């Protein structure tokens, strides 16, 4: 409540509205995305009906209700100033930048983070995330082209005057009221809309595209159009197989780890980007017709979050699979040594674990302060896998490349530039490993507090 008594929406509620508006806009613009949502819904219902254990686990983790709302999107920006504005906007929507992804190492001239909710309650309320990439013009060695790209980007404003004013006002007031929300959402949503009209002539577009398709995508349009939205499926292989029958043409391989009894991290696949007609302005005010490919659809299946130790093992297995051509067989062979039973994954500290108090009634005094292994062994507390809420740079590069067409893979001898990215944002990034560790510790503290509460009086 403000002093005047106006009622501010929680950032979680504002994000839920923003996510719904974004989804509606994309569904309208890319009808195949709507088809994909229907297919994913159907497969998820089948999986839940056939797998009561998974159903229970998702319910206990509070993930069942968020499943149909769950999606991430992706955008690409061109300058530090643009990233800075969006960082401010996303903060109002309760989204913080988690993790640094260096995609130059995988041949794509950007570095990225994902803005997402960071408390468990916020993730439950609205799990919307945005994978956000900043173009690295410093990786382009054609100096004239780089200067031209910089000059074009310096001219544009990705947020309208109205959207900028709404962000500043919300920051000053400490939020957006329920009455202001529809206007606020409408104003900022415009930034992410597809533009049928490029901001440069066709020759400039082609020169940028020649340097890298991604440079053209960022530099030649008025704003960072949303380029995909991704629903979460519980069985990515089933959706991938069903896609053709639903009139959707998937990319050949699923990115990430192979299929397993206990899914690891994140698996993703996409349908190929659409070739869309674009008007390129001529000097005389008329437009030349051309095309641009940027927008696609993607699905993902989320598995357990890995500790640093588990992640090192994952990276080693994946590198082996890649060296062998990353076929289904190569993946299966490379991951054969990665444990696939819950007890070993936990015992070897490969996965992040959350805790929950499982005591139904009164518990003996002093139980709350007993060692964890005893609480687990006697069933006072149960451990459950924590879902991976972040992204994978190698998979992201694979998704980028399959949608950029020819020339999507460059060679860059660049250092990662986490500090440069943070300077552009105007704040620091959150470390994903620290985040899982902290949520895990908090869940154990909450379980102990609950045991304490249920403790019999001495
Ligand atoms: C982002 C590609 C990465 C993911 O899910 O890993 C991504 C992009 O194409 O802009 O969305
Ligand atoms: Ni994605």
């Amino acid at each position: 409540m403000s002093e005047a008594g106006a009622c501010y929406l929680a950032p979680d509620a504002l994000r839920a509205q923003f996510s719904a508006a974004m989804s509606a806009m994309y569904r309208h613009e890319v009808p195949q995305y709507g088809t994909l949502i229907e297919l994913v819904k159907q497969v998820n219902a089948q999986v839940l009906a056939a797998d009561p254990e998974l159903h229970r686990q998702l319910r206990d983790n509070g993930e069942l209700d968020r499943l149909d709302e769950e999606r991430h999107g992706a955008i690409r920006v061109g300058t530090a100033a643009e990233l800075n504005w969006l960082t401010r906007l996303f903060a109002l929507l309760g989204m913080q930048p988690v993790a640094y992804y260096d995609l130059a190492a995988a041949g794509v001239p950007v570095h990225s983070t994902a803005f997402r909710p960071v408390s468990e309650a916020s993730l439950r309320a609205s799990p919307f995330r945005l994978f956000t990439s900043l173009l690295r013009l410093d990786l382009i060695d054609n100096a004239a082209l780089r200067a031209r790209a910089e000059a074009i980007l310096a001219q544009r404003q990705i947020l309208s005057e109205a959207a900028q004013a709404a962000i500043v006002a919300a920051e000053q007031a400490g939020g957006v009221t329920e009455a202001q929300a529809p206007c606020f959402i409408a104003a900022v949503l415009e930034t992410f809309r597809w533009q049928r009209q490029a901001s440069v002539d066709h020759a400039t577009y082609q020169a940028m595209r020649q340097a890298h398709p991604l440079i053209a995508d960022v530099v030649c349009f008025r704003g960072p159009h949303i380029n995909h939205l991704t629903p979460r499926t519980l069985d990515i292989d089933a959706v991938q197989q069903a896609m053709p029958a639903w009139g959707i043409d998937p990319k050949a391989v699923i990115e990430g780890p192979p299929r397993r009894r206990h899914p690891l991290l994140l698996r993703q696949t996409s349908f190929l980007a659409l070739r869309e007609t674009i008007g390129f302005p001529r000097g005389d005010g008329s437009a030349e017709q051309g095309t641009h490919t940027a927008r696609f659809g993607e699905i993902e299946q989320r598995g357990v979050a890995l500790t640093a130790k588990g992640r090192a093992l994952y990276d080693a297995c994946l590198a082996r699979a890649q060296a062998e051509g990353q076929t289904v067989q190569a993946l299966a062979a490379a991951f054969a040594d990665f444990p696939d039973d819950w007890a070993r994954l936990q015992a070897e500290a490969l996965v992040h674990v959350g805790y929950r108090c499982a005591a139904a009634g009164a518990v003996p005094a002093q139980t709350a302060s007993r060692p964890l292994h005893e609480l687990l062994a006697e069933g006072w507390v149960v451990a459950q896998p924590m879902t991976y809420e972040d992204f994978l740079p190698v998979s992201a590069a694979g998704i980028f490349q399959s949608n950029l067409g020819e020339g999507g893979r460059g060679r860059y001898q660049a250092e990662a530039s986490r500090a440069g990215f943070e300077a552009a944002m105007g704040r620091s990034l959150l470390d994903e490993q620290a985040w899982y560790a902290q949520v895990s510790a908090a869940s154990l503290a909450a379980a102990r507090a609950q045991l304490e509460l249920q403790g019999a009086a001495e």
Side-chain angles (χ1 to χ4, degrees):
M1 291 283 220
S2 80
E3 288 156 49
C7 200
Y8 287 105
L9 274 182
D12 289 349
L14 198 60
R15 179 175 65 261
Q17 287 189 21
F18 179 74
S19 164
M22 185 83 110
S23 185
M25 179 174 85
Y26 202 62
R27 216 169 162 135
H28 182 72
E29 292 182 349
V30 182
Q32 270 201 325
Y33 165 65
T35 310
L36 199 56
I37 296 264
E38 293 312 312
L39 170 56
V40 165
K41 230 184 218 164
Q42 208 179 84
V43 168
N44 285 355
Q46 284 162 0
V47 172
L48 286 172
D51 190 344
E53 171 62 23
L54 179 66
H55 190 280
R56 190 193 53 71
Q57 185 195 317
L58 288 171
R59 194 200 52 212
D60 290 351
N61 266 356
E63 289 177 69
L64 204 54
D65 293 336
R66 80 183 212 196
L67 195 60
D68 282 344
E69 293 304 313
E70 179 133 12
R71 57 184 83 88
H72 80 255
I75 52 169
R76 306 152 183 170
V77 297
T79 67
E82 292 174 1
L83 183 61
N84 187 276
W85 266 112
L86 293 186
T87 301
R88 291 167 63 182
L89 166 61
F90 298 150
L92 291 166
L93 301 175
M95 296 157 83
Q96 314 291 329
V98 181
Y100 176 73
Y101 304 108
D102 168 27
L103 299 217
V108 183
V110 303
H111 46 180
S112 318
T113 189
F115 289 88
R116 67 165 177 87
V118 291
S119 79
E120 283 196 293
S122 293
L123 277 163
R124 223 166 278 166
S126 168
F128 185 64
R129 305 159 242 250
L130 262 177
F131 192 93
T132 302
S133 301
L134 174 63
L135 186 60
R136 290 187 66 183
L137 285 175
D138 58 303
L139 300 185
I140 306 309
D141 20 277
N142 180 337
L145 193 82
R146 192 169 64 228
R148 176 112 178 81
E150 275 161 5
I152 294 167
L153 288 171
Q155 293 288 316
R156 78 174 186 181
Q157 253 187 22
I158 62 169
L159 287 152
S160 67
E161 297 290 340
Q164 290 184 13
I167 290 169
V168 171
E171 284 174 341
Q172 281 166 0
V176 174
T177 67
E178 194 161 356
Q180 291 166 338
C183 258
F184 181 90
I185 301 285
V188 299
L189 193 64
E190 279 311 300
T191 297
F192 307 102
R193 192 183 291 284
W194 183 249
Q195 310 283 339
R196 288 170 207 289
Q197 196 64 25
S199 59
V200 301
D201 61 40
H202 200 237
T204 305
Y205 172 84
Q206 281 178 313
M208 297 292 165
R209 199 179 183 299
Q210 188 74 35
H212 195 284
L214 204 78
I215 301 178
D217 184 58
V218 175
V219 173
C220 302
F221 295 87
R222 282 204 305 276
H225 38 257
I226 179 88
N227 67 52
H228 67 280
L229 279 177
T230 304
R232 173 177 170 192
T233 175
L234 299 175
D235 187 343
I236 198 166
D237 301 278
V239 178
Q240 170 99 345
Q241 267 159 32
M243 274 186 186
W246 287 58
I248 303 171
D249 184 17
K251 80 191 270 296
V253 288
I254 296 174
E255 300 287 343
R259 186 179 182 87
R260 327 225 329 150
R261 206 145 50 86
H262 298 285
L264 299 177
L265 295 172
L266 176 67
R267 300 179 71 207
Q268 301 174 302
T269 184
S270 60
F271 66 73
L272 301 179
L274 315 168
R275 179 178 289 271
E276 302 184 82
T277 304
I278 298 291
F280 294 89
R282 291 195 187 91
D284 63 4
S286 69
E288 179 180 354
Q289 296 299 301
T291 63
H292 179 59
T293 32
R295 299 196 294 176
F296 60 98
E298 183 191 45
I299 51 171
E300 66 187 16
Q301 181 173 356
R302 291 192 172 267
V304 64
L306 299 184
T307 58
K309 181 183 175 201
R311 182 54 188 268
L313 183 57
Y314 170 83
D315 287 338
C317 291
L318 189 68
R320 235 181 2 247
Q322 282 189 317
E324 299 292 327
Q326 212 176 351
T327 59
V328 173
Q329 293 83 348
L331 269 170
F335 278 84
D337 294 338
F338 205 116
D340 195 13
D341 71 83
W342 181 223
R344 264 190 77 196
L345 286 168
Q346 256 181 287
E348 294 180 26
L350 297 170
V351 296
H352 285 292
V353 171
Y355 300 95
R356 189 164 50 79
C357 170
V363 301
Q366 312 302 329
T367 302
S369 49
R370 291 175 59 194
L372 175 59
H373 66 94
E374 292 180 10
L375 297 179
L376 289 169
E378 293 176 30
W380 300 114
V381 167
V382 293
Q384 54 207 5
M386 282 180 71
T387 297
Y388 189 57
E389 306 287 357
D390 296 293
F391 293 86
L392 296 171
V394 174
S395 298
I399 299 282
F400 265 109
Q401 266 138 18
S402 64
N403 287 295
L404 292 169
E406 251 163 76
R409 188 176 182 95
R411 264 178 209 288
Y412 303 106
Q413 242 91 55
E415 294 289 306
S417 180
R418 187 190 173 109
F421 194 90
E422 290 181 326
M425 270 192 314
R427 58 157 293 172
S428 56
L429 291 157
L430 301 181
D431 178 75
E432 74 277 23
Q433 283 300 344
W435 184 82
Y436 291 101
Q438 176 229 312
V439 173
S440 172
S443 74
L444 181 56
R448 286 191 191 276
Q450 185 63 37
L451 287 174
E452 184 83 49
L453 215 62
Q454 288 172 224
E458 303 230 358

